[in-house]
Structures are given as structure tokens and as C-alpha cells.
Amino acid sequence: MERMKGAAALVLGVFAAYLQKYTLLYVLVGVAVLMDLVSGMAAAVLSNEGLSSDVARRGLMKKLMLLFAVGWGTFLDILLPYAARTIGIELPSGMLFSAVICVYISIGESISVMENICRATDKQPPAVIVKLLRQVK
């Protein structure tokens, strides 16, 4: 059992070291998703809609799919340059797919947080913020 733990720690350590450049993207998306979850629950309580386990379960599954999309972007960032090299095409290895997916998710979550704040407080956000977020999306 101790050997299994040691092997798992080694594999996860190598994996974490390899994906270190993605850490900031993962943290930012995680914060955006968490803020949306918390603001959504607060809005449900403050707007007298109440919390529903059914709605919460669906929302959590959607959030898990967003995190899956980030992982998929990382997979593509690693796979495509490798696959291209095998056929003689040199692609830069970077964080293109992960970055695009993370920005897209963060913008969507930002809009949702603003909507939750409006629902919870019965106030509209400043027009410039609404306009900016709609243009970016």
C-alpha cells in the first residue's frame, strides 16, 4: 500500500510540475466559478426564491463541465503540437486553447455574477459594466 501511495505521489508530482504554467489560469477560473456559485445561492435566498437541491445539482454539474472544458483545453494544448511534430509541422507549444477557454468561461461567469447581484439587491449594475460585458461576450 505504501508503494502505491509513493507511486501515486510521484505521478501526481510530475503531472503538477509539467502543468505548472497553467496554474494561474486554473486558479482564476476556479475563483470565477466559485464566486458564481456563492452569488447564485445568495441571490436565491435574498430574492425569496429559496434554495432548491434540484437546481443546485444541475448548477454544480454545469460547473463541473466548465472545469472539464478547461482540462480539455490543456489536453489540446499538449496534444496538437505533439501530433503536428510527428508529421513534420512545427507548432508553437503554448496555452492557446486553455487560455481561450478560460477567458470565455471567466467572462460568462462574470456576467452571471452581475446578474446574481442584481437579483439579490434589486439594483441594476452601472450601464458601462453591462455594455462592456455584453460586448466582450
Side-chain angles (χ1 to χ4, degrees), residues 32-91:
V33 167
L34 186 61
M35 289 177 75
D36 185 38
L37 281 171
V38 171
S39 66
M41 288 190 295
V45 170
L46 293 172
S47 66
N48 293 325
E49 294 172 14
L51 295 175
S52 163
S53 59
D54 220 26
V55 172
R57 191 175 17 263
R58 282 195 320 269
L60 185 59
M61 292 309 291
K62 288 180 183 179
K63 300 306 178 195
L64 288 175
M65 290 308 296
L66 293 177
L67 297 178
F68 179 81
V70 173
W72 183 251
T74 302
F75 173 77
L76 291 176
D77 284 341
I78 295 167
L79 174 71
L80 293 181
Y82 173 77
R85 273 193 304 274
T86 62
I87 59 172
I89 299 171
E90 197 59 39
L91 290 178

Side-chain angles (χ1 to χ4, degrees), residues 36 103-113 137:
D36 185 38
V103 167
Y104 176 77
I105 290 170
S106 296
I107 290 169
E109 296 299 287
S110 297
I111 292 170
S112 181
V113 167
K137 181 133 179 158

